[in-house]
Every structure is written in C-alpha cells, then in structure tokens.
Amino acid sequence: MGDHALEVNNLSRHFGELIAVDGVSLHVEAGETYGLLGPNGAGKSTAISMIAGLLESHGGTIRIEGEPMTTRTTAVRSRLGLVPQDLAIYPDLTARENLRFFASLYGMGTKSAKARIDEVLEVIGLSDRADDRADEFSGGMKRRLNIGIGLLHHPRLLILDEPTVGVDPQSRNAILESVEHLASEGMSVLYTTHYMEEAERLCDRIGIIDHGRLMAEGTRRELVASLGNQDRVSITATGPLADAAEAFAALDGVAEATTSEDTITLLTGDATRVVARAVETADAHGLTVASVEITQPDLEAVFLHLTGRALRD
C-alpha cells in the first residue's frame, strides 16, 4: 500500500488555556471520503486549518501523500484544495471571473484555465449562471462557487469545512451531489460537518470529534456496532439520581446504567421490555420522571454514548 492521501499523527493546538485540538490522529486513503463529525466548537475547523498549513500546530505531524505539511510548506500545497467555511469569493465578479482570477493565482495558463473553468462550472451546477455576478447568487450558489474555486487546480485531496452551513435544502442537496460526483471520480475528500445525515450519506469512514479529541472512528456500521446493537433509554427525572444508579444497573436486561445531571441512561438489548420496570424503579427511589426517550442504534446514538450530549448542542 502506498502513502495515504492524508496522515495526521497526534495533532494538537491550544489557545492560551483552551485546548482546541488534543492529540488527534487520523488518515484518509486515496479515493476515500472521510467525515470529521462533531458539534460546533469541537475543534474541526482548527484541525482543518493546521492540515491545510494555515495555522501552526503545537504538536504532532501532518503528511500529504507522504510529504510533510507545515505552515512553511510550499510544494505540497498544490496537491491540496481547501474550501473554507467562510466564503472566499468576490461578490462584484461573475462566477466565471471569480474562477478566472483564482486560476491565475494557481498559475494556470489561459487556454488550460478556460477549459478547466468550463469543467468546474459543470461540476458545481453553475454553467447557466456563469456570467452572472456572485452578489446576485443565493447562499447555496455562493457555496457551490466556493467549492469550484477549490477544485480548479485538480487537487489530489479536497478539504471541505462545513460547506452546507446556512444554505437552503435544495442548494444543500446540490452541494452533496457535487461531493458525491467528485468522490465517484476518485478524489480524496476530508469533509467536516455537524450534520449526522451528511456524514452518513457521503462518508466511507467517520471520525467523531468532541472537545478537540477524536473519540472514535470507523465506518458507519462499525461505529454503530460498537454499541453492541443496544437500545438507549434516557430517563429525565428529578430527585436522588445517583443513589438509584445501582438499582437501575441491576435491572434484568440492562447492560449499563449511567447518570449525568438530570438524566439516567440505560443500555439494553430490548428497550420496550425494560422501560416499565425502569419507571417503577425510579418511583420506588423517590424520583419524579419528566420524560422517557428511546433511541435505537444509529450514528446519533454513538455520539450520545461517547459524549453524553446531543450532536447539535
């Protein structure tokens, strides 16, 4: 096996007392779409900035196709396409003019740039709006143009940092279709998102990140299987929850019982069989139950199990 498209080992970065990225290690295979899934503030964008050579790391190494990547690297940058979360387009230029300007920055010749711009406009679905100014575009169209700029120079690895934030459902679907098209042509993609359904739709493997740490990674099937195909029963209640923890753990069919703030969480192979007894146990221990929620094994359940909180918190 040759070098990975991207290899990150023990990457870290802090801002004063805040540890933004804490020992993250991951790799992206050639032709693979890897999703970095986590809530806002989890460290995704900071990690992306270091991987793209825009922000200096405080520890760890980054390699693009086996070559070291740092803020001082120049040669390897041509293999990388970065689509930042913030739009990097000129609103008073047309879509074609934006692409032509960035093609010149990439050092592309006039003839090759013209052909490539037409290809990119087709990929991002803006061929019919190529000569309209970007300030006339919807938010989703601007996002697609942003992606097109990152594609101009035929990057070997494309990094997309939350490319669907703030767009309407139709534009969002168009963006996802564009990413699927690129993946089908063999491009390596690192895709950050806090939308569970995007990770499930696009990604061959998924890394779950929270508080700057990579909590787990694998295919969707592997991550869900890590819960042992168990249901999750979350009981929100008031009263002495900690005192009742042992009683919940001892219930027949309960594999694990944990408490946090006002919630008792049970892992079980059959939630419907356990719920009634769990509510009876809560009542017997002086708890007042406010709600009961059953979550069957999926990516959201994995995230809840690893972090103790919902993805969009």
Side-chain angles (χ1 to χ4, degrees):
M1 182 179 294
D3 293 316
H4 301 306
L6 170 68
E7 185 172 1
V8 176
N9 286 306
N10 205 30
L11 193 64
S12 64
R13 172 76 196 198
H14 59 81
F15 298 96
E17 298 289 321
L18 174 66
I19 301 176
V21 176
D22 188 6
V24 166
S25 296
L26 59 87
H27 72 273
V28 180
E29 300 283 1
E32 179 182 42
T33 299
Y34 184 101
L36 199 56
L37 175 69
N40 292 324
K44 302 187 299 296
S45 292
T46 301
I48 290 301
S49 295
M50 289 187 286
I51 290 169
L54 301 178
L55 182 67
E56 189 170 355
S57 70
H58 289 152
T61 60
I62 303 162
R63 290 182 176 273
I64 307 290
E65 295 185 322
E67 297 294 327
M69 181 68 161
T70 70
T71 55
R72 296 169 297 282
T73 303
T74 54
V76 76
R77 288 177 188 267
S78 63
R79 307 178 198 177
L80 185 70
L82 173 64
V83 180
Q85 191 173 143
D86 294 328
L87 292 173
I89 63 176
Y90 288 93
D92 55 343
L93 298 181
T94 68
R96 191 183 303 278
E97 288 169 344
N98 265 283
L99 293 171
R100 189 181 299 134
F101 171 74
F102 282 98
S104 69
L105 294 184
Y106 288 130
M108 300 173 66
T110 303
K111 186 176 180 179
S112 60
K114 184 179 184 302
R116 181 57 179 162
I117 287 168
D118 287 339
E119 291 174 1
V120 167
L121 286 167
E122 185 69 28
V123 170
I124 60 177
L126 290 178
S127 295
D128 60 337
R129 300 293 301 273
D131 297 313
D132 292 342
R133 284 169 48 123
D135 58 7
E136 299 173 0
F137 289 175
S138 67
M141 293 168 67
K142 291 175 182 176
R143 289 277 175 192
R144 282 147 60 192
L145 179 55
N146 212 36
I147 292 173
I149 291 167
L151 292 173
L152 276 169
H153 61 302
H154 294 281
R156 306 283 289 276
L157 171 66
L158 181 66
I159 299 177
L160 296 157
D161 189 12
E162 307 236 21
T164 65
V165 169
V167 303
D168 61 273
Q170 183 177 359
S171 294
R172 184 182 179 202
N173 188 62
I175 290 170
L176 298 182
E177 287 180 349
S178 295
V179 176
E180 287 173 326
H181 172 74
L182 296 170
S184 71
E185 294 195 333
M187 181 174 288
S188 305
V189 178
L190 176 60
Y191 189 99
T192 81
T193 183
H194 63 272
Y195 295 121
M196 194 76 64
E197 60 274 20
E198 290 186 3
E200 291 185 318
R201 173 175 170 176
L202 297 176
C203 302
D204 300 303
R205 286 187 304 126
I206 299 163
I208 294 177
I209 187 171
D210 194 32
H211 298 299
R213 299 181 61 194
L214 197 66
M215 312 293 288
E217 71 170 4
T219 64
R220 181 194 180 280
R221 184 183 296 274
E222 289 169 345
L223 289 169
V224 171
S226 70
L227 289 184
N229 294 320
Q230 293 179 316
D231 297 337
R232 180 188 184 92
V233 180
S234 299
I235 303 171
T236 303
T238 56
L241 272 68
D243 296 342
E246 287 189 16
F248 283 104
L251 288 173
D252 184 35
V254 172
E256 180 182 326
T258 58
T259 61
S260 63
E261 298 182 2
D262 61 350
T263 303
I264 302 163
T265 303
L266 312 177
L267 290 182
T268 174
D270 187 353
T272 57
R273 193 164 62 89
V274 166
V275 167
R277 291 199 303 275
V279 173
E280 291 172 359
T281 301
D283 184 60
H285 284 78
L287 305 181
T288 301
V289 176
S291 66
V292 177
E293 181 179 357
I294 297 174
T295 306
Q296 295 182 320
D298 60 10
L299 212 49
E300 183 101 33
V302 175
F303 192 88
L304 282 166
H305 179 65
L306 292 171
T307 69
R309 63 198 184 107
L311 179 61
R312 291 180 177 85
D313 279 359

